[in-house]
Amino acid sequence: MERRNLPIFELESAIVETLRAKHRLVLQAPTGSGKSTQVPQILLDHGLAGDGEIVVLQPRRLATRMLAARVAQERAVKLGTEVGYQIRLDKVVSRETRIRFVTEGVLLRQLIADPLLRGISAIIFDEFHERHLYGDITLARALDLQEQHRSDLRLVVMSATLDAEILQTYLNPCAQLTSRGRTFPVEVEYLPHPLDALEHPPWEVAAEELERIAATTEGDVLVFMPGAFEIGRTIEAIRRSPVSALFKVLPLHGELPVAEQDAAVARYPKRKVIVSTNVAETSLTIDGVRVVIDSGLARIARFDPYRGINTLLVERISRASSDQRAGRAGRTAPGQCLRLWTEREHADRAAQEVPEVRRLDLAEVVLTLKASGIEDVAAFRWLEPPDPRALERALLLLADLGALDRGGRITELGLRMLAFPAHPRYARMLLAAHDFGCVPEVAVVAALTQGRSVIRRAEGRQMQETRDDVLGAKAESDFFTLMRAHQFAKEAHFNPERCRTLGINHLAAREAAALAEQFLRIARDEGLSTDAKEGDPDGVQRCVLAGFPDQVGMRMDGGTLRVALVHGRKGVLARESVVHHATLLVASEVREIEGKDAERQILLTLATAIKEEWLRELFPGELEEHVEVRFDSVQRRVMARTSTRFHDLVLRSKESDNVPEDAAAALLAEQVEQGNCVLKNWDEAVEQWIVRLNLLAGWFPEWELPQLAPEDRRTLVEQICLGATSYREIKERQVWPTVKSWLSPSQQKLVEDYAPERVEMPNGRKLKITYATNATPTIAVRIQDLYGVDSEVRIAGGRVLVTIQVLAPNHRPIQITQNLANFWRESYPKFKVELQRKYPRHEWR
């Protein structure tokens, strides 16, 4: 098709006029409209980039390279000159490059190196509806840059389907343009019955469907499968089919060599079948496709809590993705889409894919933001804020790895890890591997954790015994068993029969071998030593520890497989683990399983034995000596236990006679406060003195007497207990010297003079005063002892009236008053007759 005939050119003038007037644009255009290849050229040809570069962000590496190649071909230039691309491990650009297609992480790293993005005039975010995490982050950083420093920077967000309202609010102020595109109707068919994946794997069903419709359809066929493994099986099944001669069958996925990727989109004299991952869903248009066979599956990136990393899991795609795939059959003529699931199952699928920010581990992107100077990642300009727990988990992991300090600031180690394009766990492992001389081995370890398990469950005792003989039944790490299995498969050239005798998955082993080579290429790019050499014999174990310090565990006892983990967790070591002899270990997989009676159990797998001195070497700041004190209620004494801890995990502990004085005093004081240990000399007189002091401080604020609050009482009790470790030692201790030391001698005299313990009555009698916090001072006195007294009773230099409880001969109050004159005049005559009758032997005046 002539490029000027593509639907996107209907908006050419609007795009140019809008971007000249405004520097933000949301462009919605369906798949196949030409937006990915033509919009960058429109900007360049109309001078909207000035002398600068146009950067086009793509979610996938394969599409990035192929789109760049397509645009270079259309402009009749050599790839890498005017048009180039940059992905991880591959950069084809030059000083002439004006349009550069990049994967999202590339531009984010460029923002760290050059926060002003000098030389870049426009950024195009393509296929933004896929909501990749790095796309979200890069857009936020670009908006900040545009608002604060680069008002000239043009931003274009493009997608086949967008939640325009959310995006417009986020980008406000911005313009929006929509292209209807030109598509033909696609007839959609479903399976009549649900697919049993075990009995009928999707690749077999896809081949059967191709055979069924081969003679009644025209054009090329696009088959969607989740990954390289399924693509290979699909191609094998099609080639066994009777209709295979009608088609040229080709794979398409990101791990293929460039020549094979290009072959998949080339034109051929006869019909072709392209078996592809979801890379062909939106980013890449393949001309000539009239039929789509959709497995309905994709490898979706998610955080795997077992491994503590992001991983690719095969899952059902959403209804929106299904529609995108079906639309590939209606680009140039009416088409047909065969869905390998039922119509009822289709209704149960999710409407949209969940954005990566809500399903991925955030450790890598948080580290990137920290390196960009974003201190408070929670307050970052998120298009859709992540779960606070996910952020907390990422920050905790990065701190455990040493990438952040405990204040949340990026460390020198964190900066080095960021330079390595891998999950922080593996960046940390590979950096450590350089130090221990075992980068090739650790590359294999890292590869073995990414996909399906290399070793299947043994089928019978004979297989287990054969496996133990060949691979070993005991080792210092479960990884060593996997590495031996991988090596066996490699030496057997991944022969299925030879691998099957040991229960080795030859396909998983082959995939791991390819992935290990990729890790080695990354390591070499980062300047790590990848030469085979004699390294530290414990190097691999140390590296596993470096990557998983948050999953260090200690066997709780020798009789069971129970393990205590850091951060207060507990689990059980898997029975099939080869490190049952280890006391201290690190588990690279921590998974929750359902046990008997629906109880949840934490199962620890891929375990590695470690040594305490390695913790001290790798994480010196996290290994600490703790002294714990406790009160033994039986012996009524304070006991001490000295422990060595990694984070909060107790590695070893022992009873100690060396009890810290302050801690012992605090525990004894707590027992005194609770009433479990009584200080015999802390009596009512002491309590009354404290109340007298506090009342006097309120009566005379100008004296600024130090009141004695509840927490101060605790301090005094601790001082009394200081130097003791048992109740026996404090039981008879003197109290008054410590309590009265709260005041100076002159202040103590004020208490005795102005809040006295006793008051002298006009008749010469000295009566005890009872003080209370929320009442006036009170004296209780028999009526006979008040004869001749009719004046008020005052203390505190006359400021405070004393309340008088007038007692009958039986010591029960008959009147409470502060005015004795009034009592004698009005109340006493009424009481006298009755009291004289009841108590005739007492004097009555």
Side-chain angles (χ1 to χ4, degrees), residues 599-672:
E599 287 185 1
R600 294 282 176 176
Q601 188 178 66
I602 303 298
L603 186 67
L604 312 179
T605 55
L606 285 185
T608 299
I610 59 173
K611 298 176 181 178
E612 185 181 315
E613 55 261 36
W614 301 348
L615 293 171
R616 202 176 301 278
E617 291 170 11
L618 290 171
F619 306 99
E622 306 301 337
L623 202 67
E624 297 179 350
E625 299 292 329
H626 286 259
V627 178
E628 294 178 337
V629 292
R630 62 182 178 83
F631 183 78
D632 188 316
S633 58
V634 176
Q635 299 185 53
R636 304 185 86 177
R637 66 180 295 112
V638 177
M639 313 289 285
R641 178 172 286 273
T642 303
S643 63
T644 302
R645 293 182 176 186
F646 179 65
H647 292 290
D648 59 347
L649 178 67
V650 177
L651 303 180
R652 50 190 165 82
S653 64
K654 63 178 180 179
E655 293 289 345
S656 171
D657 295 329
N658 185 22
V659 182
E661 271 195 356
D662 290 348
L667 274 181
L668 286 171
E670 182 181 330
Q671 295 301 312
V672 171

Side-chain angles (χ1 to χ4, degrees), residues 116-176:
L116 295 180
L117 291 183
R118 287 174 285 239
I120 295 177
S121 298
I123 304 174
I124 299 174
F125 297 81
D126 197 15
E127 306 299 350
F128 195 76
H129 72 278
E130 294 193 20
R131 292 297 308 283
H132 283 223
L133 180 55
Y134 275 107
D136 283 9
I137 298 299
T138 307
L139 177 58
R141 299 286 287 134
L143 288 173
D144 284 343
L145 173 61
Q146 187 189 60
E147 290 173 357
Q148 297 170 18
H149 304 290
R150 291 284 312 278
S151 58
D152 62 309
L153 183 65
R154 289 184 166 90
L155 303 177
V156 182
V157 181
M158 305 195 307
S159 179
T161 57
L162 276 175
D163 189 334
E165 185 176 344
I166 292 177
L167 199 58
Q168 274 198 300
T169 300
Y170 183 68
L171 293 172
N172 190 48
C174 75
Q176 181 178 357

Side-chain angles (χ1 to χ4, degrees), residues 158 162 171 182 296 349 384 402 427 438 482 523 575 628 658 797:
M158 305 195 307
L162 276 175
L171 293 172
R182 291 193 296 270
R349 292 183 175 232
E384 184 171 343
C438 56
L482 292 179
R575 293 191 178 279
E628 294 178 337
N658 185 22

Side-chain angles (χ1 to χ4, degrees), residues 536-554:
D536 188 321
D538 302 320
V540 173
Q541 293 163 255
R542 293 176 188 247
C543 293
V544 174
L545 169 60
F548 293 86
D550 54 323
Q551 292 177 186
V552 170
M554 187 84 178

Side-chain angles (χ1 to χ4, degrees), residues 695 699-700 754 776-777 793-802 818:
L695 288 173
W699 297 337
F700 292 90
Y754 287 85
T776 59
V793 179
R794 290 179 176 271
I795 59 173
R799 285 194 184 187
V800 178
L801 266 172
V802 176
Q818 291 181 331

Side-chain angles (χ1 to χ4, degrees), residues 23 27 29 189 204 217 280 300 347 440 464 484 563 566 578 646 655:
H23 284 190
L27 178 58
E189 291 184 34
E204 296 289 351
T217 58
I300 305 294
Q464 186 64 57
R484 291 167 191 160
V563 177
V566 294
V578 297
F646 179 65
E655 293 289 345

Side-chain angles (χ1 to χ4, degrees), residues 429 438 441-442 444-446 448-449 454-455 467 470-488 504 536-545 577-579 581 586 588 606-610 614:
M429 284 177 62
C438 56
E441 292 86 348
V442 171
V444 172
V445 168
L448 288 169
T449 64
V454 171
I455 299 181
R467 178 189 291 176
V470 177
L471 304 182
K474 183 178 177 182
E476 295 303 302
S477 174
D478 291 326
F479 280 120
F480 293 166
T481 305
L482 292 179
M483 292 169 75
R484 291 167 191 160
H486 174 263
Q487 187 61 30
F488 177 90
I504 296 174
D536 188 321
D538 302 320
V540 173
Q541 293 163 255
R542 293 176 188 247
C543 293
V544 174
L545 169 60
S577 175
V578 297
V579 294
H581 62 285
V586 57
S588 294
L606 285 185
T608 299
I610 59 173
W614 301 348

